[in-house]
Amino acid sequence: MMKKYVFLIFLFLFAGFGVINAQETPVNKKSETIDNFVLSQEVNMYPNPVERYLTIRSTHPITRVQIFSLLGDLIMDENKNFNRIDLYRLNSGIYMIKIHSNQFHVTKKLVKK
């Protein structure tokens, strides 16, 4: 009977020791991912709702802008001139706009009048 208790004590000690070691591993490495909420604040687009021209400003360089329908269909894909995007081809409605940078992408809602 005593052997069973000794075995259980060692089992709990080793299990607890493993948990302590797991917690001591360094986790404070600089993460290369940035919170999407923070990125959403760093990317501005206006006016929204838009009639024709959409302007996008960002603290990070923009490399690509994609506009999707609410069904997920790619409607527009721009690789240049992000300061003023002409949306004359879009019908009135709600779209999702995905703004790409080298390090991240942000998705926002876009309303076309």
Side-chain angles (χ1 to χ4, degrees):
M1 184 78 163
M2 185 68 151
K3 290 181 182 178
K4 291 181 182 178
Y5 290 120
V6 171
F7 176 73
L8 287 175
I9 291 172
F10 280 118
L11 181 66
F12 287 122
L13 284 175
F14 284 121
F17 182 70
V19 170
I20 292 171
N21 279 341
Q23 291 174 353
E24 290 176 357
T25 56
V27 182
N28 297 334
K29 294 181 181 178
K30 184 177 178 183
S31 176
E32 297 204 13
T33 60
I34 304 173
D35 185 16
N36 198 24
F37 179 76
V38 173
L39 289 175
S40 182
Q41 301 300 319
E42 293 183 16
V43 176
N44 295 318
M45 59 181 209
Y46 56 89
N48 194 11
V50 62
E51 289 186 29
R52 180 155 182 177
Y53 294 104
L54 179 69
T55 302
I56 300 175
R57 302 270 187 234
S58 174
T59 57
H60 300 282
I62 299 172
T63 57
R64 184 179 187 187
V65 173
Q66 295 175 307
I67 299 177
F68 295 91
S69 71
L70 291 180
L71 297 175
D73 298 328
L74 180 64
I75 304 295
M76 187 180 287
D77 193 357
E78 292 290 325
N79 293 322
K80 59 182 185 235
N81 194 17
F82 307 113
N83 292 330
R84 189 172 179 180
I85 299 175
D86 194 357
L87 300 178
Y88 73 94
R89 294 182 287 177
L90 294 183
N91 294 329
S92 296
I94 300 173
Y95 298 90
M96 299 305 292
I97 183 166
K98 192 172 191 178
I99 303 164
H100 296 266
S101 177
N102 291 333
Q103 305 95 339
F104 68 89
H105 69 272
V106 175
T107 305
K108 293 188 169 204
K109 181 174 79 168
L110 173 68
V111 178
K112 171 74 164 54
K113 284 186 181 180

